[in-house]
Amino acid sequence: MIDLKKELPEIFDEFGDKRRAAFLEVKKVKDKNIPVVGVFCTFFPQELALALGGTCVSLCSTSDETIGDAERDLPKNLCPLIKSSYGFAITNKCPFFYFSDIVIGETTCDGKKKMYELLGKVKPVHVMELPNRNSEMGLKLWKEEIVKCKEVLEEHFGIEITSEAISEAIRIKNRERSAVKDFYSIMKTDELPIMGLDMWHVLNGITFTFDKVSIPEELSKLKEKVLTENKHISGKKRILITGCPIGGATEKVIKAVEDNGGIVVAFENCGGAKAIDTNVDETNPDPYDAIARKYLNIGCACISPNHNRFDLLGRMVNEYKVDGVLEMQLQTCTPYQVEGALVRDFLKEKNIPYMAVETDYGQNDIGQLNTRISAFLEMI
């Protein structure tokens, strides 16, 4: 729980430290024999873990600390997210991986898919086959994969996921998503109450909060505090960040925007709006069909054609009064790099300036990022 009696800068720092704090909390969860599911992607339906009476933890690492360890098995020209995550897992430097009972992967990219084979040597791993097209055939496959994953989890933990449990889990996650969307909507105003990095710390911190039921009330109170007590910021170029998952080392991109006179008003990428734009349809009599439809609509670049990303991006550009879009691409993340040309052309039609920056988890390019992003802001 966040102590709202504290000053806002301290509260934002606490959200920024949520991942580190969760390292300690996950052991307490394990000591209570609560199932812990390790996941790598927003495509995993967290409702399954909740319906078990358990929780899930993100295993995606965002530091270059263990990349050298990973490169003993993985090629150097591989996505830093994959190498970092694998490196932390095999060196036991990631408490989330250590305490996970089972790891659920997904076929969002070839690099991760093959990496899961290596992880399977040290931890039980189940891989969900994600269709690469949002179609009726794709939906049928994805629903089957979700039901199969449910059965794998039931067998692994010896716990039945009842219809009542999955329905309640859907309601809990829907309330959480709605609360997060409501909170980050404060950045739609002309005078902004917080900086983008503070907003990111809240969004990212929420993903490491195990008590999902408490999130809506916490965010409602924090929103009220922000709107009544914090400063109003205006006159800065309003930037939307899209592209690859951001966080940890890549917060340098947010800082480069805000250290050079801009402000990040919206995050369309993973961890931002992409995965929580829509809820699961609670009126659908088949909960697994409803879950499959919701999660398959995530506008990830692994889906082709990726219409939902452009629908969301277009709405956010308008709703957040965006002056420019910055795409953060991780090195060798081919789907987002190729799709970047489509994003550029889409925004050109809307007369919105666009720039892509390619980076990794090192800090050697901070000067270059500042130079390029400063020039982009001046150009707008």
Side-chain angles (χ1 to χ4, degrees):
M1 295 287 288
I2 295 297
D3 184 359
L4 294 176
K5 294 179 181 179
K6 295 180 178 179
E7 296 297 317
L8 281 169
E10 190 174 0
I11 291 175
F12 294 139
D13 287 343
E14 285 188 16
F15 272 107
D17 289 337
K18 273 281 191 179
R19 188 172 189 269
R20 189 179 301 109
F23 284 161
L24 303 177
E25 291 299 317
V26 71
K27 183 181 185 303
K28 296 178 182 178
V29 170
K30 282 292 296 179
D31 289 343
K32 296 176 182 177
N33 292 319
I34 294 173
V36 177
V37 180
V39 301
F40 283 93
C41 187
T42 53
F43 278 105
F44 171 73
Q46 294 190 17
E47 288 83 355
L48 295 181
L50 282 175
L52 282 168
T55 190
C56 54
V57 291
S58 173
L59 303 180
C60 287
S61 299
T62 55
S63 162
D64 64 353
E65 179 183 346
T66 62
I67 283 181
D69 298 292
E71 288 177 347
R72 291 199 293 265
D73 295 330
L74 302 176
K76 293 183 183 298
N77 62 337
L78 187 64
C79 167
L81 186 151
I82 299 173
K83 291 192 292 185
S84 177
S85 301
Y86 178 75
F88 272 95
I90 63 170
T91 58
N92 277 332
K93 291 183 178 180
C94 176
F96 292 153
F97 183 84
Y98 179 82
F99 287 114
S100 292
D101 298 294
I102 187 171
V103 172
I104 305 296
E106 75 311 310
T107 57
T108 47
C109 81
D110 290 341
K112 287 169 73 177
K113 182 170 64 176
K114 299 304 292 185
M115 183 267 285
Y116 296 144
E117 293 183 28
L118 300 179
L119 278 187
K121 297 179 179 180
V122 293
K123 182 79 69 171
V125 174
H126 173 72
V127 178
M128 303 177 73
E129 184 177 351
L130 181 74
N132 58 16
R133 183 177 294 272
N134 194 336
S135 62
E136 285 304 311
M137 289 183 64
L139 177 65
K140 180 177 181 295
L141 170 64
W142 188 228
K143 179 184 173 183
E144 291 173 352
E145 287 295 300
I146 291 172
V147 172
K148 183 191 300 182
C149 184
K150 162 189 171 288
E151 293 168 350
V152 167
L153 293 173
E154 287 177 322
E155 181 178 357
H156 185 83
F157 291 105
I159 300 172
E160 180 188 1
I161 296 179
T162 65
S163 57
E164 293 81 7
I166 195 66
S167 295
E168 177 61 16
I170 288 171
R171 287 189 288 270
I172 291 171
K173 282 299 297 180
N174 278 351
R175 287 194 292 269
E176 177 195 345
R177 281 187 285 262
S178 296
V180 175
K181 284 184 67 175
D182 180 66
F183 182 78
Y184 68 64
S185 69
I186 63 177
M187 303 301 277
K188 293 179 180 179
T189 58
D190 291 332
E191 291 189 332
L192 298 164
I194 59 176
M195 296 297 290
L197 186 58
D198 292 331
M199 172 59 73
W200 176 254
H201 284 160
V202 174
L203 297 180
N204 191 47
I206 285 296
T207 63
F208 296 101
T209 300
F210 296 137
D211 182 6
K212 300 300 182 183
V213 175
S214 69
I215 289 174
E217 183 179 0
E218 280 197 55
L219 285 182
S220 177
K221 291 179 179 178
L222 180 58
K223 177 184 176 182
E224 183 180 356
K225 183 178 181 70
V226 167
L227 292 178
T228 56
E229 297 182 16
N230 218 16
K231 57 189 175 183
H232 297 284
I233 305 161
S234 60
K236 294 178 179 289
K237 299 294 171 60
R238 303 167 66 96
I239 302 300
L240 179 149
I241 291 183
T242 185
C244 294
I246 202 166
T250 51
E251 286 184 7
K252 62 187 175 183
V253 176
I254 306 173
K255 284 182 60 62
V257 171
E258 301 195 331
D259 287 348
N260 289 285
I263 186 166
V264 180
V265 295
F267 298 90
E268 183 271 337
N269 47 0
C270 292
K274 188 187 300 293
I276 62 173
D277 184 53
T278 61
N279 281 335
V280 177
D281 182 4
E282 296 181 28
T283 66
N284 189 327
D286 182 346
Y288 295 100
D289 178 77
I291 290 172
R293 290 177 184 276
K294 180 265 177 295
Y295 281 89
L296 193 56
N297 278 331
I298 294 174
C300 178
C302 66
I303 301 294
S304 182
N306 191 11
H307 300 304
N308 287 334
R309 182 185 183 191
F310 294 96
D311 173 69
L312 175 59
L313 191 56
R315 285 189 281 115
M316 294 185 75
V317 162
N318 294 331
E319 292 173 7
Y320 289 84
K321 307 176 185 69
V322 169
D323 295 314
V325 171
L326 180 65
E327 177 150 20
M328 196 280 287
Q329 298 172 349
L330 289 173
Q331 288 179 358
T332 73
C333 183
T334 307
Y336 274 103
Q337 289 173 336
V338 173
E339 194 166 272
L342 299 176
V343 174
R344 178 200 62 203
D345 294 344
F346 172 77
L347 293 169
K348 185 176 181 180
E349 291 180 2
K350 299 177 74 67
N351 200 30
I352 299 294
Y354 164 87
M355 184 177 74
V357 293
E358 182 180 309
T359 188
D360 59 13
Y361 289 162
Q363 300 300 302
N364 294 333
D365 64 347
I366 288 179
Q368 182 186 43
L369 286 172
N370 276 290
T371 299
R372 293 194 61 206
I373 291 173
S374 176
F376 177 63
L377 293 170
E378 290 179 9
M379 180 199 72
I380 297 174

